[in-house]
Amino acid sequence: MTETTTRPSAGLRALDRLVGTWAVTGGVEGTVRYEWMPGGFFLLQHVELTQSGQPVTGLEVIGNLRPFGEPVGADVVSRFYDSTGNTLDYTYELVGDTLTIWGGAKGSPAFYRGTFDADGTSVVGEWTYPGGGGYRSAMTRV
């Protein structure tokens, strides 16, 4: 086995900064909680938000893909499952203090880009959607 199959990738381990509970404000309001699945190969996000007056409850599983018989994928990807039956795919990247989450594949025109403050207790950024949509969002560690 190669190193990338026996321990979580550096890109995934970088997301350890998200572990904990966060209050979310801006275009959505509520709480998200990140925790490691045992083994550290997947980061779980528990979501309890309100967007446009509608509740959004769900679970996101974040990690590197490792399909049967194939090598570990290079990108940190996720699938979000919500209480209304939606499944949404994302790609995560944390470089320095800048967190980017693309809706779908890396480089997608739908993305979030936010910056951690110096002590890691808040992340402020903006979701950008094709055609000029989007909203500002902030997460503050609870």
Side-chain angles (χ1 to χ4, degrees):
M1 289 183 137
T2 65
E3 181 177 317
T4 57
T5 61
T6 60
R7 64 182 195 173
S9 72
L12 179 60
R13 289 192 316 262
L15 297 180
D16 191 58
R17 294 175 78 176
L18 293 170
V19 171
T21 302
W22 300 81
V24 180
T25 57
V28 297
E29 304 282 330
T31 304
V32 297
R33 179 174 51 87
Y34 292 89
E35 65 178 341
W36 288 110
M37 179 182 280
F41 286 94
F42 297 99
L43 184 62
L44 306 176
Q45 179 185 195
H46 303 270
V47 173
E48 294 182 20
L49 300 170
T50 301
Q51 184 172 22
S52 303
Q54 300 298 312
V56 178
T57 302
L59 173 68
E60 184 176 18
V61 180
I62 305 164
N64 296 89
L65 293 179
R66 185 168 38 174
F68 289 115
E70 295 182 28
V72 175
D75 291 334
V76 175
V77 298
S78 75
R79 174 154 290 169
F80 175 75
Y81 304 88
D82 77 15
S83 57
T84 63
N86 292 308
T87 59
L88 305 171
D89 295 327
Y90 297 94
T91 302
Y92 279 70
E93 183 177 67
L94 180 59
V95 177
D97 291 329
T98 302
L99 174 65
T100 304
I101 306 169
W102 288 275
K106 188 174 185 176
S108 165
F111 64 92
Y112 169 83
R113 185 158 291 128
T115 304
F116 281 88
D117 66 358
D119 62 3
T121 60
S122 71
V123 182
V124 177
E126 186 169 346
W127 277 99
T128 301
Y129 300 137
Y135 59 89
R136 294 213 29 94
S137 180
M139 293 193 326
T140 305
R141 194 176 296 277
V142 177

